[in-house]
Amino acid sequence: MKQIKDLFKIEPKPSKNLFAFEWVVMAYLALTLLVILFCFTKVQNPEAMIWGRVRVLALTAATYAVYRMVPCKFTRLVRVGVQMGLLSWWYPDTYELNRMFPNLDHLFAQWEQNLFGFQPALLFSQAMPGALFSELMDLGYASYYPMIAAVTLFYFFCRYNEFQRAAFIILGAFFIFYVVFVFVPVVGPTFYFHAVGVEEIAKGIFPNLHDYFNAHTECLPSPGYADGIFYQLVEDAKAAGERPTAAFPSSHVGVTTVLMFLAWHSHNRRLFYIMLPLFVLMFFATVYIQAHYAIDALAGLASGTLIHFLLFFLSQKMVRP
């Protein structure tokens, strides 16, 4: 009961400004709005995209107003939760922007071939087709959103003084990746291999598809044990919101790398070690289910590390507890 009362206890000095994580959202909104306006004739349905941003502004203003009327921990959590929920809208929005630019998968597939001598995303699942291994890979991939929720809620309930910083770092990481996705149009093996044909890919043939994905969004079914529970979760998630976008670097790996740093920083080793096997599975799963090239996963690991330290440094200057 005391904890519930504490959630709604009125803050003596509520913030009168947007929180740092909301300024991140506003910055991304402004940047992409400029891209839409400058490329108005190239973007499909630009009016709908602009109105979508107006709705984001309205929702942000509404949660700000609710917090100002009832400034407490719960309404702070609502402000964070709304912006995290909107990530499911911002993600497919990157596809609407990056398909204005020529597709780059032929370059990434060739670099992958030059580095490894083969396509890991093509051969990994063929080498390890068993039901148990397949389900472990799908478990790792499906743990993405639960890991985000776990770290966010842990900071809220157990490290409240650092909750705003954690929210800033997590949302900041997402939007940095989204900026890259807009200007580096790579769709990943599941789309590119489907478009070219697995047989041609196996022969080392990587044609330039130019603007093919402007009008084609078909992808390969995930490899592995098709009757598995976690396999179905991954397939359902793909059917619900997957687009030919956001392959390089892997934001699944990048964001979970950020989450692992936050879990370590929390000084709760139990949280860190519970998440660690899921993080390892996540890294390999992105390639196993053909969502990413191996270089995407490696780039996600490196970029996630750099982004964490950059945002952690910025949070010391920008984030008020």
Side-chain angles (χ1 to χ4, degrees):
M1 183 63 70
K2 183 180 180 298
Q3 290 180 332
I4 295 175
K5 288 182 178 179
D6 190 49
L7 284 176
F8 295 95
K9 182 180 178 180
I10 301 300
E11 298 175 356
K13 295 182 179 180
S15 173
K16 296 180 181 180
N17 302 312
L18 291 180
F19 292 134
F21 65 85
E22 289 168 325
W23 283 116
V24 170
V25 177
M26 295 301 104
Y28 181 80
L29 187 152
L31 173 64
T32 53
L33 180 60
L34 286 174
V35 173
I36 294 169
L37 293 176
F38 276 109
C39 305
F40 196 86
T41 57
K42 294 183 179 180
V43 179
Q44 297 191 26
N45 303 314
E47 295 88 353
M49 297 179 70
I50 292 172
W51 278 113
R53 282 155 175 76
V54 172
R55 288 192 291 271
V56 171
L57 280 172
L59 195 52
T60 301
T63 56
Y64 170 82
V66 170
Y67 169 79
R68 291 295 295 154
M69 289 186 288
V70 188
C72 61
K73 288 183 177 180
F74 179 76
T75 50
R76 282 185 181 241
L77 179 62
V78 168
R79 289 172 75 173
V80 173
V82 165
Q83 298 302 338
M84 287 192 171
L86 285 171
L87 292 172
S88 63
W89 182 83
W90 286 114
Y91 169 73
D93 183 78
T94 63
Y95 169 64
E96 301 301 326
L97 292 170
N98 72 19
R99 59 176 167 166
M100 294 187 298
F101 308 108
N103 175 258
L104 301 177
D105 275 77
H106 61 292
L107 298 177
F108 281 77
Q110 187 62 63
W111 293 337
E112 187 101 326
Q113 192 78 17
N114 294 342
L115 182 62
F116 297 102
F118 58 93
Q119 295 292 310
L122 187 62
L123 299 184
F124 191 7
S125 60
Q126 295 178 11
M128 304 291 291
L132 177 60
F133 191 84
S134 170
E135 277 293 273
L136 284 173
M137 291 292 99
D138 288 318
L139 166 63
Y141 200 76
S143 67
Y144 184 50
Y145 291 110
M147 289 173 72
I148 296 169
V151 171
T152 302
L153 291 175
F154 177 84
Y155 269 87
F156 180 75
F157 287 107
C158 303
R159 298 288 187 275
Y160 184 72
N161 286 342
E162 296 186 81
F163 172 62
Q164 297 294 123
R165 169 183 287 180
F168 169 76
I169 291 173
I170 294 170
L171 282 161
F174 267 104
F175 285 106
I176 289 173
F177 282 119
Y178 288 174
V179 170
V180 177
F181 297 155
V182 168
F183 297 105
V184 184
V186 182
V187 303
T190 187
F191 292 101
Y192 184 67
F193 290 2
H194 181 277
V196 175
V198 171
E199 297 81 5
E200 296 298 291
I201 295 295
K203 296 175 184 176
I205 299 172
F206 312 116
N208 185 349
L209 298 186
H210 304 286
D211 61 353
Y212 175 86
F213 296 105
N214 285 8
H216 297 84
T217 59
E218 304 85 5
C219 66
L220 296 172
S222 295
Y225 179 58
D227 294 326
I229 294 173
F230 293 109
Y231 179 96
Q232 291 301 324
L233 285 175
V234 171
E235 284 296 281
D236 289 344
K238 286 170 62 177
E242 193 56 85
R243 300 288 191 282
T245 183
F248 179 85
S250 168
S251 59
H252 277 68
V253 174
V255 170
T256 50
T257 299
V258 170
L259 295 176
M260 293 306 297
F261 277 112
L262 287 172
W264 183 264
H265 178 73
S266 74
H267 302 298
N268 187 299
R269 296 298 176 257
R270 182 178 297 178
L271 175 66
F272 178 84
Y273 287 118
I274 288 174
M275 289 174 55
L276 183 58
L278 295 175
F279 172 67
V280 174
L281 290 175
M282 170 73 70
F283 179 86
F284 289 103
T286 58
V287 180
Y288 184 89
I289 72 166
Q290 300 175 340
H292 294 279
Y293 304 103
I295 55 178
D296 299 339
L298 293 171
L301 187 64
S303 58
T305 301
L306 291 174
I307 287 170
H308 169 265
F309 285 108
L310 170 64
L311 293 176
F312 188 85
F313 172 76
L314 291 175
S315 70
Q316 294 176 313
K317 300 180 180 297
M318 298 176 60
V319 180
R320 171 190 164 187

